[in-house]
Short mmCIF file of all heavy atoms in Angstrom, two decimals:
data_model
loop_
_atom_site.label_atom_id
_atom_site.label_comp_id
_atom_site.label_asym_id
_atom_site.label_seq_id
_atom_site.Cartn_x
_atom_site.Cartn_y
_atom_site.Cartn_z
N THR A 139 58.19 86.29 70.69
CA THR A 139 57.70 87.50 70.03
C THR A 139 57.97 87.51 68.54
O THR A 139 57.13 87.92 67.74
CB THR A 139 58.32 88.75 70.68
OG1 THR A 139 58.06 88.75 72.07
CG2 THR A 139 57.75 90.02 70.06
N SER A 140 59.14 87.05 68.13
CA SER A 140 59.54 87.14 66.72
C SER A 140 58.55 86.49 65.77
O SER A 140 58.06 87.15 64.84
CB SER A 140 60.95 86.54 66.54
OG SER A 140 61.91 87.27 67.27
N PRO A 141 58.21 85.21 65.92
CA PRO A 141 57.27 84.59 64.97
C PRO A 141 55.88 85.19 65.05
O PRO A 141 55.20 85.31 64.01
CB PRO A 141 57.29 83.12 65.36
CG PRO A 141 57.74 83.09 66.77
CD PRO A 141 58.67 84.24 66.91
N VAL A 142 55.44 85.54 66.26
CA VAL A 142 54.07 86.10 66.39
C VAL A 142 53.97 87.45 65.68
O VAL A 142 53.04 87.68 64.90
CB VAL A 142 53.69 86.25 67.89
CG1 VAL A 142 52.36 86.98 68.01
CG2 VAL A 142 53.62 84.88 68.55
N MET A 143 54.92 88.34 65.93
CA MET A 143 54.85 89.67 65.33
C MET A 143 55.10 89.62 63.83
O MET A 143 54.49 90.37 63.07
CB MET A 143 55.86 90.61 66.01
CG MET A 143 55.60 90.82 67.50
SD MET A 143 53.91 91.37 67.88
CE MET A 143 53.92 93.01 67.18
N LEU A 144 56.00 88.73 63.39
CA LEU A 144 56.21 88.58 61.95
C LEU A 144 54.95 88.05 61.28
O LEU A 144 54.56 88.53 60.20
CB LEU A 144 57.38 87.63 61.69
CG LEU A 144 58.78 88.19 61.89
CD1 LEU A 144 59.82 87.08 61.77
CD2 LEU A 144 59.07 89.29 60.88
N GLY A 145 54.28 87.09 61.91
CA GLY A 145 53.05 86.57 61.36
C GLY A 145 51.95 87.61 61.27
O GLY A 145 51.26 87.71 60.24
N LEU A 146 51.81 88.41 62.32
CA LEU A 146 50.80 89.47 62.30
C LEU A 146 51.12 90.53 61.26
O LEU A 146 50.22 91.09 60.61
CB LEU A 146 50.71 90.12 63.69
CG LEU A 146 50.10 89.26 64.80
CD1 LEU A 146 50.19 89.96 66.15
CD2 LEU A 146 48.66 88.90 64.48
N SER A 147 52.41 90.81 61.08
CA SER A 147 52.81 91.79 60.07
C SER A 147 52.44 91.31 58.68
O SER A 147 51.89 92.07 57.88
CB SER A 147 54.33 92.04 60.16
OG SER A 147 54.75 92.91 59.15
N PHE A 148 52.76 90.06 58.35
CA PHE A 148 52.43 89.54 57.03
C PHE A 148 50.90 89.40 56.83
O PHE A 148 50.40 89.48 55.71
CB PHE A 148 53.08 88.18 56.82
CG PHE A 148 54.55 88.26 56.54
CD1 PHE A 148 55.47 87.71 57.43
CD2 PHE A 148 55.02 88.92 55.40
CE1 PHE A 148 56.84 87.81 57.15
CE2 PHE A 148 56.38 89.01 55.15
CZ PHE A 148 57.29 88.47 56.03
N LEU A 149 50.18 89.25 57.93
CA LEU A 149 48.73 89.08 57.83
C LEU A 149 48.01 90.42 57.62
O LEU A 149 47.06 90.49 56.84
CB LEU A 149 48.22 88.40 59.11
CG LEU A 149 46.74 88.00 59.14
CD1 LEU A 149 46.44 86.99 58.03
CD2 LEU A 149 46.36 87.44 60.50
N PHE A 150 48.47 91.46 58.31
CA PHE A 150 47.72 92.73 58.29
C PHE A 150 48.45 93.86 57.57
O PHE A 150 47.83 94.91 57.32
CB PHE A 150 47.43 93.17 59.73
CG PHE A 150 46.51 92.24 60.48
CD1 PHE A 150 47.02 91.42 61.48
CD2 PHE A 150 45.17 92.18 60.17
CE1 PHE A 150 46.17 90.56 62.17
CE2 PHE A 150 44.32 91.33 60.86
CZ PHE A 150 44.83 90.51 61.85
N GLU A 151 49.71 93.70 57.27
CA GLU A 151 50.47 94.78 56.63
C GLU A 151 50.95 94.35 55.24
O GLU A 151 50.83 93.19 54.87
CB GLU A 151 51.68 95.17 57.51
CG GLU A 151 51.27 95.72 58.86
CD GLU A 151 52.46 96.02 59.77
OE1 GLU A 151 53.55 95.39 59.56
OE2 GLU A 151 52.33 96.83 60.67
N HIS A 152 51.47 95.30 54.50
CA HIS A 152 52.00 95.00 53.17
C HIS A 152 53.18 95.95 52.89
O HIS A 152 53.35 96.96 53.56
CB HIS A 152 50.92 95.18 52.10
CG HIS A 152 50.29 96.53 52.09
ND1 HIS A 152 50.84 97.60 51.43
CD2 HIS A 152 49.16 96.99 52.70
CE1 HIS A 152 50.10 98.67 51.61
NE2 HIS A 152 49.05 98.32 52.37
N GLY A 153 53.97 95.58 51.90
CA GLY A 153 55.11 96.41 51.52
C GLY A 153 56.32 96.26 52.40
O GLY A 153 57.19 97.14 52.41
N GLN A 154 56.42 95.14 53.12
CA GLN A 154 57.55 94.95 54.05
C GLN A 154 58.89 94.91 53.31
O GLN A 154 59.86 95.52 53.75
CB GLN A 154 57.37 93.67 54.87
CG GLN A 154 56.22 93.71 55.84
CD GLN A 154 54.92 93.20 55.25
OE1 GLN A 154 54.75 93.19 54.04
NE2 GLN A 154 54.00 92.78 56.09
N TRP A 155 58.95 94.17 52.21
CA TRP A 155 60.22 94.04 51.49
C TRP A 155 60.65 95.38 50.91
O TRP A 155 61.84 95.72 50.97
CB TRP A 155 60.10 93.00 50.37
CG TRP A 155 61.38 92.83 49.61
CD1 TRP A 155 61.65 93.21 48.34
CD2 TRP A 155 62.59 92.24 50.12
NE1 TRP A 155 62.93 92.88 47.99
CE2 TRP A 155 63.55 92.29 49.07
CE3 TRP A 155 62.94 91.65 51.34
CZ2 TRP A 155 64.83 91.79 49.22
CZ3 TRP A 155 64.23 91.18 51.48
CH2 TRP A 155 65.15 91.25 50.43
N ASN A 156 59.72 96.15 50.42
CA ASN A 156 60.04 97.47 49.90
C ASN A 156 60.57 98.38 51.01
O ASN A 156 61.52 99.15 50.80
CB ASN A 156 58.81 98.10 49.25
CG ASN A 156 59.10 99.46 48.67
OD1 ASN A 156 59.89 99.61 47.74
ND2 ASN A 156 58.46 100.47 49.22
N ALA A 157 59.95 98.26 52.19
CA ALA A 157 60.42 99.06 53.33
C ALA A 157 61.84 98.69 53.74
O ALA A 157 62.65 99.55 54.06
CB ALA A 157 59.46 98.90 54.50
N ILE A 158 62.13 97.37 53.71
CA ILE A 158 63.47 96.91 54.09
C ILE A 158 64.52 97.38 53.10
O ILE A 158 65.61 97.85 53.47
CB ILE A 158 63.49 95.37 54.20
CG1 ILE A 158 62.64 94.92 55.38
CG2 ILE A 158 64.92 94.85 54.35
CD1 ILE A 158 62.47 93.42 55.49
N THR A 159 64.22 97.28 51.82
CA THR A 159 65.21 97.61 50.79
C THR A 159 65.39 99.11 50.56
O THR A 159 66.38 99.52 49.97
CB THR A 159 64.83 96.94 49.45
OG1 THR A 159 63.49 97.35 49.09
CG2 THR A 159 64.88 95.43 49.57
N THR A 160 64.45 99.91 51.02
CA THR A 160 64.53 101.36 50.78
C THR A 160 64.84 102.15 52.04
O THR A 160 64.88 103.38 52.00
CB THR A 160 63.22 101.89 50.17
OG1 THR A 160 62.13 101.59 51.05
CG2 THR A 160 62.96 101.24 48.81
N GLU A 161 65.05 101.46 53.16
CA GLU A 161 65.36 102.19 54.40
C GLU A 161 66.71 102.88 54.31
O GLU A 161 67.66 102.36 53.74
CB GLU A 161 65.36 101.24 55.60
CG GLU A 161 63.98 100.97 56.17
CD GLU A 161 64.05 100.37 57.56
OE1 GLU A 161 65.15 99.98 57.98
OE2 GLU A 161 63.00 100.32 58.22
N SER A 162 66.77 104.07 54.90
CA SER A 162 68.02 104.84 54.92
C SER A 162 68.90 104.33 56.05
O SER A 162 68.47 103.54 56.91
CB SER A 162 67.71 106.33 55.13
OG SER A 162 67.14 106.54 56.41
N LEU A 163 70.16 104.80 56.06
CA LEU A 163 71.07 104.43 57.13
C LEU A 163 70.56 104.91 58.47
O LEU A 163 70.72 104.22 59.50
CB LEU A 163 72.45 105.01 56.85
CG LEU A 163 73.23 104.37 55.69
CD1 LEU A 163 74.56 105.11 55.49
CD2 LEU A 163 73.48 102.88 55.97
N ALA A 164 69.94 106.09 58.49
CA ALA A 164 69.40 106.61 59.74
C ALA A 164 68.29 105.71 60.26
O ALA A 164 68.20 105.46 61.48
CB ALA A 164 68.86 108.03 59.52
N GLU A 165 67.44 105.20 59.37
CA GLU A 165 66.36 104.32 59.79
C GLU A 165 66.89 102.98 60.30
O GLU A 165 66.40 102.44 61.30
CB GLU A 165 65.38 104.10 58.64
CG GLU A 165 64.58 105.37 58.30
CD GLU A 165 63.82 105.25 57.01
OE1 GLU A 165 64.30 104.55 56.09
OE2 GLU A 165 62.75 105.89 56.89
N TRP A 166 67.91 102.43 59.62
CA TRP A 166 68.54 101.22 60.12
C TRP A 166 69.22 101.47 61.45
O TRP A 166 69.23 100.61 62.34
CB TRP A 166 69.53 100.68 59.11
CG TRP A 166 68.92 99.87 58.03
CD1 TRP A 166 68.81 100.19 56.70
CD2 TRP A 166 68.31 98.58 58.18
NE1 TRP A 166 68.16 99.18 56.01
CE2 TRP A 166 67.84 98.19 56.88
CE3 TRP A 166 68.10 97.72 59.24
CZ2 TRP A 166 67.18 96.99 56.66
CZ3 TRP A 166 67.43 96.52 59.04
CH2 TRP A 166 66.99 96.17 57.75
N GLY A 167 69.80 102.66 61.59
CA GLY A 167 70.41 103.01 62.87
C GLY A 167 69.39 103.05 63.99
O GLY A 167 69.66 102.62 65.12
N GLY A 168 68.18 103.55 63.67
CA GLY A 168 67.11 103.56 64.66
C GLY A 168 66.71 102.16 65.07
O GLY A 168 66.46 101.89 66.25
N CYS A 169 66.65 101.25 64.10
CA CYS A 169 66.31 99.85 64.40
C CYS A 169 67.36 99.23 65.32
O CYS A 169 67.02 98.51 66.27
CB CYS A 169 66.19 99.05 63.11
SG CYS A 169 64.78 99.48 62.08
N LEU A 170 68.63 99.47 65.01
CA LEU A 170 69.69 98.91 65.83
C LEU A 170 69.70 99.51 67.22
O LEU A 170 69.97 98.83 68.23
CB LEU A 170 71.04 99.13 65.15
CG LEU A 170 71.25 98.39 63.82
CD1 LEU A 170 72.57 98.79 63.19
CD2 LEU A 170 71.20 96.87 64.05
N TYR A 171 69.38 100.79 67.30
CA TYR A 171 69.32 101.47 68.60
C TYR A 171 68.23 100.82 69.47
O TYR A 171 68.46 100.50 70.64
CB TYR A 171 69.02 102.95 68.42
CG TYR A 171 68.75 103.68 69.71
CD1 TYR A 171 69.81 104.20 70.47
CD2 TYR A 171 67.45 103.84 70.20
CE1 TYR A 171 69.57 104.85 71.67
CE2 TYR A 171 67.20 104.50 71.39
CZ TYR A 171 68.27 105.00 72.13
OH TYR A 171 68.02 105.64 73.31
N VAL A 172 67.05 100.63 68.88
CA VAL A 172 65.95 100.03 69.63
C VAL A 172 66.32 98.60 70.06
O VAL A 172 66.08 98.19 71.21
CB VAL A 172 64.67 100.01 68.77
CG1 VAL A 172 63.59 99.16 69.46
CG2 VAL A 172 64.16 101.42 68.54
N ALA A 173 66.93 97.84 69.15
CA ALA A 173 67.24 96.45 69.43
C ALA A 173 68.30 96.30 70.54
O ALA A 173 68.10 95.54 71.51
CB ALA A 173 67.71 95.73 68.17
N PHE A 174 69.39 97.03 70.39
CA PHE A 174 70.52 96.77 71.27
C PHE A 174 70.57 97.68 72.51
O PHE A 174 71.06 97.25 73.56
CB PHE A 174 71.83 96.91 70.49
CG PHE A 174 71.99 95.85 69.45
CD1 PHE A 174 71.79 96.13 68.11
CD2 PHE A 174 72.32 94.55 69.79
CE1 PHE A 174 71.91 95.16 67.14
CE2 PHE A 174 72.44 93.56 68.84
CZ PHE A 174 72.24 93.88 67.50
N LEU A 175 70.09 98.89 72.41
CA LEU A 175 70.13 99.77 73.56
C LEU A 175 68.78 99.80 74.29
O LEU A 175 68.72 99.60 75.50
CB LEU A 175 70.52 101.20 73.13
CG LEU A 175 71.93 101.35 72.59
CD1 LEU A 175 72.22 102.80 72.21
CD2 LEU A 175 72.96 100.89 73.64
N SER A 176 67.70 100.01 73.56
CA SER A 176 66.39 100.11 74.18
C SER A 176 65.89 98.79 74.73
O SER A 176 65.23 98.73 75.76
CB SER A 176 65.38 100.68 73.20
OG SER A 176 64.10 100.82 73.79
N VAL A 177 66.18 97.69 74.02
CA VAL A 177 65.69 96.38 74.46
C VAL A 177 66.76 95.61 75.22
O VAL A 177 66.58 95.25 76.38
CB VAL A 177 65.19 95.55 73.25
CG1 VAL A 177 64.75 94.17 73.71
CG2 VAL A 177 64.04 96.25 72.56
N LEU A 178 67.91 95.36 74.59
CA LEU A 178 68.93 94.51 75.21
C LEU A 178 69.48 95.14 76.49
O LEU A 178 69.38 94.58 77.58
CB LEU A 178 70.07 94.25 74.22
CG LEU A 178 71.20 93.36 74.72
CD1 LEU A 178 70.69 91.98 75.10
CD2 LEU A 178 72.30 93.24 73.68
N ILE A 179 70.08 96.33 76.39
CA ILE A 179 70.72 96.95 77.54
C ILE A 179 69.69 97.41 78.56
O ILE A 179 69.79 97.11 79.76
CB ILE A 179 71.61 98.13 77.10
CG1 ILE A 179 72.64 97.67 76.07
CG2 ILE A 179 72.28 98.77 78.31
CD1 ILE A 179 73.59 96.60 76.57
N ALA A 180 68.68 98.15 78.08
CA ALA A 180 67.71 98.72 79.02
C ALA A 180 66.89 97.64 79.71
O ALA A 180 66.67 97.69 80.93
CB ALA A 180 66.79 99.70 78.29
N ASP A 181 66.42 96.64 78.96
CA ASP A 181 65.59 95.60 79.58
C ASP A 181 66.37 94.74 80.55
O ASP A 181 65.85 94.34 81.59
CB ASP A 181 64.96 94.72 78.49
CG ASP A 181 63.76 95.39 77.84
OD1 ASP A 181 63.48 96.54 78.19
OD2 ASP A 181 63.10 94.75 77.00
N LEU A 182 67.63 94.44 80.22
CA LEU A 182 68.44 93.68 81.16
C LEU A 182 68.69 94.47 82.45
O LEU A 182 68.63 93.93 83.55
CB LEU A 182 69.78 93.29 80.50
CG LEU A 182 69.72 92.21 79.43
CD1 LEU A 182 71.11 91.95 78.86
CD2 LEU A 182 69.13 90.90 79.97
N GLY A 183 68.97 95.76 82.29
CA GLY A 183 69.17 96.61 83.45
C GLY A 183 67.91 96.75 84.29
O GLY A 183 67.96 96.66 85.52
N TYR A 184 66.79 96.89 83.61
CA TYR A 184 65.51 97.01 84.33
C TYR A 184 65.16 95.72 85.05
O TYR A 184 64.71 95.73 86.20
CB TYR A 184 64.41 97.39 83.34
CG TYR A 184 63.09 97.74 83.96
CD1 TYR A 184 62.95 98.89 84.75
CD2 TYR A 184 61.98 96.93 83.79
CE1 TYR A 184 61.76 99.23 85.31
CE2 TYR A 184 60.77 97.26 84.35
CZ TYR A 184 60.65 98.41 85.12
OH TYR A 184 59.45 98.72 85.68
N GLY A 185 65.40 94.59 84.37
CA GLY A 185 65.16 93.30 85.01
C GLY A 185 66.02 93.09 86.23
O GLY A 185 65.57 92.52 87.24
N TYR A 186 67.26 93.55 86.18
CA TYR A 186 68.16 93.45 87.33
C TYR A 186 67.61 94.24 88.51
O TYR A 186 67.61 93.77 89.66
CB TYR A 186 69.56 93.94 86.95
CG TYR A 186 70.53 93.99 88.11
CD1 TYR A 186 71.18 92.84 88.55
CD2 TYR A 186 70.77 95.19 88.77
CE1 TYR A 186 72.06 92.90 89.61
CE2 TYR A 186 71.65 95.25 89.84
CZ TYR A 186 72.29 94.10 90.27
OH TYR A 186 73.15 94.16 91.33
N LEU A 187 67.15 95.47 88.23
CA LEU A 187 66.61 96.31 89.29
C LEU A 187 65.35 95.70 89.90
O LEU A 187 65.12 95.75 91.11
CB LEU A 187 66.30 97.71 88.76
CG LEU A 187 67.51 98.54 88.35
CD1 LEU A 187 67.05 99.86 87.72
CD2 LEU A 187 68.40 98.83 89.56
N ILE A 188 64.52 95.09 89.04
CA ILE A 188 63.28 94.47 89.53
C ILE A 188 63.59 93.31 90.45
O ILE A 188 62.90 93.07 91.45
CB ILE A 188 62.41 93.98 88.33
CG1 ILE A 188 61.80 95.18 87.60
CG2 ILE A 188 61.33 93.01 88.79
CD1 ILE A 188 60.82 95.96 88.44
N ARG A 189 64.65 92.57 90.16
CA ARG A 189 65.02 91.43 91.02
C ARG A 189 65.60 91.86 92.34
O ARG A 189 65.46 91.18 93.34
CB ARG A 189 66.01 90.53 90.29
CG ARG A 189 65.37 89.69 89.18
CD ARG A 189 66.32 88.65 88.67
NE ARG A 189 65.66 87.73 87.76
CZ ARG A 189 66.23 86.66 87.22
NH1 ARG A 189 67.48 86.38 87.51
NH2 ARG A 189 65.56 85.89 86.39
N LYS A 190 66.28 93.01 92.35
CA LYS A 190 66.97 93.45 93.55
C LYS A 190 66.13 94.39 94.43
O LYS A 190 66.47 94.63 95.58
CB LYS A 190 68.27 94.18 93.17
CG LYS A 190 69.28 93.30 92.45
CD LYS A 190 69.78 92.18 93.32
CE LYS A 190 70.82 91.33 92.62
NZ LYS A 190 71.34 90.22 93.47
N ASN A 191 65.01 94.90 93.89
CA ASN A 191 64.20 95.88 94.62
C ASN A 191 62.73 95.54 94.45
O ASN A 191 62.34 94.77 93.58
CB ASN A 191 64.46 97.29 94.09
CG ASN A 191 65.91 97.72 94.19
OD1 ASN A 191 66.37 98.19 95.22
ND2 ASN A 191 66.65 97.54 93.10
#
Side-chain angles (χ1 to χ4, degrees):
T139 305
S140 297
V142 173
M143 298 307 292
L144 283 173
L146 291 175
S147 176
F148 284 116
L149 186 62
F150 295 107
E151 298 176 335
H152 56 84
Q154 292 91 338
W155 181 250
N156 181 64
I158 292 174
T159 56
T160 58
E161 276 197 349
S162 65
L163 289 177
E165 290 169 329
W166 277 111
C169 291
L170 294 175
Y171 173 85
V172 170
F174 293 104
L175 293 180
S176 181
V177 177
L178 180 61
I179 304 300
D181 281 5
L182 288 178
Y184 189 67
Y186 174 81
L187 292 175
I188 288 295
R189 285 191 172 184
K190 297 296 182 180
N191 302 275

